[in-house]
Amino acid sequence: MGFEGSSNCYHVMSRTAGGDKVFEPREREAFVKIMRRMERFSGVEILTHAVMANHFHILVKVPERMKFLERFDGPEGEAELMKHLELLYSENYLAALRAELSDLRAKQMSAEAEELLERFRVRFCSLPLFVKELKERFTRWFNRVHNRKGTLWMERFKSVIVEDGEALRTMACYIDLNPVRAGLVEDPKDYRWCGYAEAVAGEVAARRGLCQVMDRPRDGWDSSQGPQGAARDAEGPSPAGALYRSWLFERGIATESRRGVSEKARNEVRKREGGLTRGELLRCKVRYFTDGVAIGSREFVESLFRERRNCFGETRKDGARVIKEAPGLNLFSLRTLNVRAVDDGGSGA
């Protein structure tokens, strides 16, 4: 179901054909990368997500389409549109598009040129087109990598419209708790391919999505400021990150018939009021950005890099990468060996 043109939130879910468990770590990385790329292009905002072994959940907000399109109005509208297309298309493709537009106008075919541009504009703020293209682009990547052909998905997709407020928070929790319910982790922050883990690791887009869920300012994940920017006192609103973690653990408690977080973990979260220790945050960030291949001083990481030099590409000059998320600790990491393995090949048409 869709309400084209209006601003609404949706829970979107789709499953692989036959329920095949095709999503290994590399595939999950690729899916999330393509999903974020499509988010930036389409205008559809991802509030949170969970990529599982044979299906995915995405909680999205579809902005009001006419308001989104205002940026492409006026004398500079076409230039803004072409700049926006750079988010998804290669320089060669855009050069060919500009040449085609110029040729149509030279032939006094302005209507045809406008129709060509409308093919791009129609894809903005459309949930069906966002999901369709996300799945198509991932399928092309998957088929190319695995040398296969044919469809990957069981159905088009399922969606349900979700009201703001408690319903939206409850749905977000349901999605981020999927890996806990499946018995993959005991804490959703430890499952790299969900929105909450991304947010804990420092991903700006993931944090802003969950700030919307918790009705906090876009940059209020760990801010000590209230909704209007005023200094928060002891009675003021909690940062969105702590508030959401508390919400997760209160609603994710295990029952006799359903996996979930333990009462012990829930009580610890209560004790900390949803906060995480510096050590927990660092581990999450290292896991998210590097999978913890190696961590230590620059000298330590460089020595490992020299020992395993043949495992890296010829263009790699050194091994140590500073962990920017750990200021003051002077820590470095060795990146994953498949860091370039999730290119979606989507820079063309």
Side-chain angles (χ1 to χ4, degrees):
M1 180 184 295
F3 296 84
E4 294 295 311
S6 59
S7 177
N8 290 294
C9 296
Y10 299 86
H11 171 212
V12 177
M13 194 274 281
S14 190
R15 189 174 299 274
T16 58
D20 292 343
K21 296 181 178 181
V22 304
F23 286 97
E24 297 296 336
R26 187 186 188 192
E27 286 70 29
R28 299 178 206 201
E29 292 287 346
F31 185 88
V32 171
K33 179 179 179 181
I34 297 169
M35 178 187 73
R36 289 296 184 188
R37 192 176 186 186
M38 286 305 307
E39 175 189 30
R40 293 190 295 271
F41 172 77
S42 69
V44 171
E45 302 173 56
I46 296 168
L47 304 182
T48 196
H49 67 278
V51 184
M52 307 300 288
N54 60 5
H55 67 283
F56 67 81
H57 299 266
I58 310 178
L59 185 62
V60 302
K61 181 176 182 178
V62 181
E64 185 178 345
R65 187 168 185 274
M66 294 309 297
K67 186 174 182 180
F68 182 86
L69 290 176
E70 287 176 358
R71 69 189 69 186
F72 307 123
D73 291 340
E76 302 298 323
E78 184 172 319
E80 286 297 318
L81 177 60
M82 298 302 290
K83 183 178 180 180
H84 186 80
L85 295 183
E86 293 175 4
L87 294 170
L88 199 61
Y89 294 95
S90 67
E91 292 183 6
N92 289 339
Y93 180 88
L94 292 177
L97 176 61
R98 290 187 178 96
E100 184 176 1
L101 289 169
S102 179
D103 182 59
L104 288 171
R105 286 163 178 156
K107 295 176 180 177
Q108 305 297 312
M109 300 174 67
S110 297
E112 287 77 2
E114 180 61 23
E115 181 181 342
L116 180 58
L117 292 174
E118 183 61 21
R119 294 176 191 172
F120 296 100
R121 288 193 290 258
V122 75
R123 292 159 61 192
F124 300 145
C125 303
S126 169
L127 180 65
L129 293 179
F130 165 77
V131 180
K132 178 177 181 290
E133 189 161 356
L134 168 61
K135 292 170 66 174
E136 286 177 348
R137 285 178 175 269
F138 177 77
T139 299
R140 288 201 297 269
W141 175 89
F142 187 89
N143 285 351
R144 184 176 70 251
V145 168
H146 294 277
N147 192 29
R148 71 183 292 277
K149 296 180 180 179
T151 184
L152 185 64
W153 305 99
M154 181 182 296
E155 71 246 327
R156 182 169 170 259
F157 70 92
K158 296 178 181 178
S159 68
V160 58
I161 191 168
V162 184
E163 184 183 17
D164 285 343
E166 184 172 1
L168 188 65
R169 292 192 292 272
T170 300
M171 186 63 77
C173 286
Y174 164 77
I175 291 171
D176 278 315
L177 286 167
N178 255 255
V180 177
R181 304 290 193 205
L184 302 176
V185 293
E186 295 181 356
D187 188 322
K189 70 175 174 54
D190 297 324
Y191 187 75
R192 175 173 173 145
W193 304 281
C194 74
Y196 177 64
E198 274 197 351
V200 172
E203 284 291 290
V204 174
R207 289 186 168 192
R208 288 179 173 175
L210 288 174
C211 282
Q212 289 194 66
V213 168
M214 301 309 296
D215 194 23
R216 290 291 186 267
R218 283 169 56 85
D219 297 320
W221 180 258
D222 53 12
S223 171
S224 60
Q225 294 182 333
Q228 282 73 46
R232 181 171 66 89
D233 57 29
E235 301 301 322
S238 300
L243 196 61
Y244 187 65
R245 183 169 178 78
S246 296
W247 189 277
L248 276 171
F249 277 74
E250 291 296 334
R251 282 145 188 82
I253 199 73
T255 65
E256 291 184 3
S257 60
R258 185 178 63 175
R259 288 193 184 104
V261 299
S262 67
E263 289 192 18
K264 180 180 178 181
R266 190 268 309 276
N267 292 338
E268 187 64 25
V269 169
R270 281 180 176 176
K271 180 180 177 181
R272 296 181 183 177
E273 297 182 338
L276 290 166
T277 67
R278 189 176 187 182
E280 288 173 325
L281 288 170
L282 178 58
R283 285 195 298 273
C284 289
K285 290 170 180 176
V286 169
R287 183 187 304 113
Y288 183 81
F289 289 109
T290 70
D291 278 338
V293 171
I295 181 171
S297 66
R298 181 189 293 275
E299 293 75 16
F300 173 75
V301 175
E302 286 295 347
S303 68
L304 293 177
F305 173 71
R306 289 191 294 270
E307 289 178 14
R308 301 290 188 271
R309 183 65 186 82
N310 63 320
C311 295
F312 296 85
E314 295 180 1
T315 59
R316 181 78 177 260
K317 303 302 182 185
D318 55 16
R321 297 290 186 268
V322 65
I323 301 178
K324 298 178 181 178
E325 295 75 28
L329 296 184
N330 200 31
L331 288 176
F332 295 80
S333 64
L334 186 65
R335 291 193 176 191
T336 54
L337 304 186
N338 65 343
V339 69
R340 298 291 301 278
V342 295
D343 179 18
D344 64 16
S347 59

